[in-house]
Amino acid sequence: MTMTDRNRTTTDKTMTPDEVVARLRSGMTVGIGGWGSRRKPMALVRALLRSDVTDLTVVSYGGPDVGLLAAAGKIRKLVAAFVTLDSIPLEPNFRAARQQGTVEMEEVDEAMFMWGLHAAANRLPFLPVRAGIGSDVMRVNPRLRTVTSPYEDGETFVAMPALRLDAALVHVNRADRHGNGQYLGPDPYFDDLFCEAADAAYVSCERLVDGFGSDVVPQSLLIKRYAVTGVVETPNGAHFTSCVPDHDRDEAFQKLYATTPWPEFAARFLPPGGDEKQYQSAVQAWHEEQK
Amino acid sequence: MTSPETGAEAGATTVSRAEYCVIACADAWRDDGEVLASPMGLIPSVGARLAKRTFSPDLLLTDGEATLIGLDGEAEGWLPYRQHLAMVSGGKRHVMMGASQLDRFGNQNISCIGDWARPDRQLLGVRGAPVNTLNNPVSYWVPRHSRRVFVEKVDMISGVGYDSAAAAGPSATRYHRLPRVVTNLAVLDFETPDHAMRLASVHPGVTVEEVREATGFRLALPRGGEVPFTREPTAEELRLIREVVDPKGTREREVPSV
């Protein structure tokens, strides 16, 4: 089958970061894939930073995506088990937002978070999980209820509510125009679940491909097109988080991010009227200065 | 019981404080069988590798990412986060976590300091501490034993302690177990009738009074009141630590010798 034939039968879902953000609305619940400072859809996050969209509920295994959006005042509520930059344990902008009380938080445990995504992907209202009870997660998260096993054991579990998302943003190494996404690193994280838990999922990729070839390792084809609304090619789009094997985390730049006051960082790297190309050039210019 | 006067079995070389910590961490995984050793922190990592190399050869280790690796770094399995979480729930894991605060019954906090609604200091968040503590054995590593860490009551229960598990009922207590807490000063456990924290041993060079002074609540003592010293490494263990597992001596940076 030629490329033309394939395109005739399957929808081309390619779009730009701005086209993705144009489909988001203030007040939405947005899930962001990746983990900590790893494989975050940062180009899409940056497009979001430049938009008018605000008042978001962000659902994330948090990294700098959360820090940037919190610093820019885009987050009303955060659903998370942690926020970290990995090599820098604490995320400064997230910390500041919490300590100033500017971000509402719904704190859950890592496993509870995963089961919330599973529940949403399976169209269930909740899934039982042996986690949370006995901890202060139950005290600070009033949305959590418990459920009793209907079987002989009669045990009590947390009924983790579905984390249904209006939109999901994820980043992978390769994707085709139809929304099939491939990861080439060691860990899929939960990106396929984010897509399946969302009403609309947007997949950015390091490189857009016409197909995955006959020698593809099928297990690497993580994201299925039925769960994807839009595909965006964003080379270096996970910067400054890692997206191995395409690129490691930009540790020097991450350190700069973590030690620069937000207004100063934003003025240089995310100025009004800028775009992703401008961001990448500014990063390159900064690296040149460091030599 | 060993006393400092007898010195290390290893002979002439003095055992450093960091090396006692490594031994105390390694012993946490003794007799664990074929489970994942999840060390968080540098000295627990050295300890886990030492345990696997010596008395607990069946332990599974990861490369810190998604690969299960043998002692020489060769891959033997795939363990992405989603499977790691299943291993937690299945109980086939013994984690040694860090703690920003830890109380008398083993409640641990890594989420925030102060009122959760408006914290004085936001930390990581609860991470996997709630699921860990209800499902697989959880030990703790505290590189700087102080009253800031060992508090009467933690600000946000992330890891569940014995009293909290008991109050939450059978589903919480069923697989709950906190084997030990290792610090730069001592080894602590919960081997008391009410599971209150007990001073199990002090590292050679440390006094009981010193540990009490650095702890924000009253510690239980072993029956009879005599606190033993943390055991000495064997000559072979010491050689493995110094020449094979941590030849660059990174352990000495985490716990400097006094």
Side-chain angles (χ1 to χ4, degrees):
Chain A
M1 191 159 62
T2 67
M3 192 60 220
T4 327
D5 290 334
R6 186 156 46 198
N7 283 346
R8 201 171 290 144
T9 53
T10 313
T11 314
D12 185 327
K13 297 174 183 170
T14 53
M15 49 179 80
T16 66
D18 289 338
E19 284 170 340
V20 169
V21 170
R23 291 168 177 244
L24 304 180
R25 297 281 169 267
S26 294
M28 274 188 167
T29 296
V30 177
I32 303 178
W35 176 285
S37 193
R38 304 171 204 192
R39 224 177 67 222
K40 285 288 177 178
M42 297 298 279
L44 298 183
V45 168
R46 287 187 281 270
L48 197 45
L49 289 171
R50 286 187 288 262
S51 75
D52 296 333
V53 176
T54 188
D55 198 33
L56 296 172
T57 292
V58 170
V59 178
S60 176
Y61 284 108
D65 51 330
V66 170
L68 285 160
L69 291 168
K74 298 290 194 187
I75 306 181
R76 181 178 60 80
K77 184 169 130 183
L78 173 70
V79 181
F82 60 80
V83 183
T84 180
L85 297 173
D86 294 334
S87 54
I88 299 171
L90 303 178
E91 218 294 351
N93 287 317
F94 161 68
R95 296 191 82 189
R98 280 281 288 146
Q99 289 164 198
Q100 288 156 18
T102 53
V103 167
E104 188 188 326
M105 184 148 178
E106 186 173 318
E107 191 156 354
V108 293
D109 158 275
E110 286 172 13
M112 292 163 68
F113 189 114
M114 176 181 76
W115 288 113
L117 290 178
H118 270 292
N122 287 277
R123 300 194 294 187
L124 292 168
F126 71 90
L127 277 169
V129 49
R130 192 194 305 279
I133 53 171
S135 80
D136 274 339
V137 160
M138 302 305 283
R139 173 173 64 87
V140 302
N141 186 341
R143 200 156 81 99
L144 295 173
R145 310 274 173 84
T146 56
V147 62
T148 305
S149 165
Y151 300 103
E152 310 69 86
D153 57 272
E155 280 192 43
T156 299
F157 301 99
V158 165
M160 177 62 199
L163 291 173
R164 193 68 205 172
L165 311 169
D166 293 312
L169 309 176
V170 305
H171 184 78
V172 293
N173 301 89
R174 306 283 177 267
D176 68 16
R177 297 172 171 278
H178 319 301
N180 296 301
Q182 181 184 38
Y183 79 110
L184 300 172
D187 202 312
Y189 308 122
F190 300 90
D191 289 3
D192 49 337
L193 280 176
F194 273 99
C195 293
E196 290 164 17
D199 293 339
Y202 302 95
V203 179
S204 62
C205 61
E206 290 292 310
R207 189 149 60 80
L208 197 63
V209 293
D210 285 331
F212 297 100
S214 56
D215 60 346
V216 68
V217 177
Q219 296 95 310
S220 68
L221 299 174
L222 181 67
I223 291 162
K224 270 70 100 177
R225 61 182 163 82
Y226 74 87
V228 174
T229 306
V231 180
V232 191
E233 186 176 39
T234 59
N236 209 30
H239 185 269
F240 47 87
T241 72
S242 65
C243 186
V244 293
D246 289 310
H247 60 82
D248 287 327
R249 184 180 303 127
D250 186 342
E251 296 287 1
F253 190 84
Q254 173 163 289
K255 193 170 172 198
L256 173 78
Y257 162 74
T259 52
T260 308
W262 168 251
E264 198 181 310
F265 180 88
R268 172 149 190 196
F269 297 101
L270 300 159
D275 60 10
E276 180 65 12
K277 196 175 272 180
Q278 182 274 330
Y279 169 82
Q280 297 286 351
S281 311
V283 170
Q284 210 167 8
W286 179 80
H287 274 294
E288 287 300 323
E289 281 171 27
Q290 306 308 305
K291 283 178 183 166
Chain B
M1 185 165 75
T2 323
S3 75
E5 287 74 32
T6 61
E9 286 177 40
T13 46
T14 314
V15 179
S16 72
R17 179 67 60 77
E19 286 161 347
Y20 285 113
C21 293
V22 168
I23 285 296
C25 288
D27 277 345
W29 285 287
R30 192 182 282 276
D31 303 324
D32 273 359
E34 205 160 26
V35 305
L36 179 71
S38 281
M40 301 190 183
L42 206 146
I43 283 181
S45 299
V46 176
R49 278 178 286 155
L50 179 69
K52 181 170 172 57
R53 232 172 237 288
T54 52
F55 46 78
S56 293
D58 289 335
L59 289 174
L60 295 110
L61 299 174
T62 77
D63 64 348
E65 299 266 346
T67 308
L68 289 167
I69 54 161
L71 287 171
D72 299 320
E74 77 283 14
E76 65 163 342
W78 183 52
L79 192 69
Y81 282 116
R82 59 184 74 188
Q83 292 190 4
H84 201 136
L85 287 170
M87 215 160 171
V88 171
S89 302
K92 296 292 181 188
R93 176 177 181 259
H94 180 172
V95 59
M96 183 171 271
M97 294 188 80
S100 303
Q101 292 179 327
L102 204 55
D103 75 17
R104 154 196 321 264
F105 294 105
N107 295 290
Q108 170 250 28
N109 175 22
I110 46 172
S111 175
C112 65
I113 302 297
D115 180 12
W116 179 88
R118 180 77 184 270
D120 299 327
R121 284 193 297 132
Q122 174 66 41
L123 305 173
L124 281 170
V126 294
R127 293 217 71 148
V131 72
N132 288 346
T133 42
L134 259 51
N135 291 278
N136 61 194
V138 178
S139 292
Y140 291 105
W141 162 242
V142 177
R144 270 174 298 280
H145 194 134
S146 75
R147 282 172 178 264
R148 275 164 66 108
V149 177
F150 289 87
V151 295
E152 193 64 56
K153 194 175 183 319
V154 302
D155 293 341
M156 166 82 183
I157 299 173
S158 312
V160 178
Y162 279 99
D163 58 339
S164 304
S171 182
T173 54
R174 190 166 183 185
Y175 303 114
H176 179 266
R177 190 162 75 85
L178 309 177
R180 65 168 53 188
V181 179
V182 181
T183 79
N184 59 322
L185 301 181
V187 178
L188 308 117
D189 62 23
F190 301 91
E191 302 293 318
T192 52
D194 63 348
H195 292 297
M197 197 185 289
R198 182 184 80 142
L199 181 52
S201 71
V202 292
H203 304 328
V206 179
T207 64
V208 171
E209 199 42 51
E210 206 177 324
V211 179
R212 277 179 162 162
E213 198 52 46
T215 305
F217 51 84
R218 215 172 66 83
L219 283 170
L221 297 180
R223 207 172 304 200
E226 274 293 302
V227 181
F229 285 115
T230 303
R231 80 165 172 93
E232 297 292 330
T234 66
E236 177 61 3
E237 285 170 339
L238 207 51
R239 186 190 70 79
L240 286 170
I241 293 170
R242 292 175 178 179
E243 295 174 19
V244 180
V245 181
D246 186 29
K248 288 183 180 155
T250 57
R251 62 192 177 279
E252 305 296 331
R253 286 203 292 275
E254 190 168 39
V255 173
S257 284
V258 283

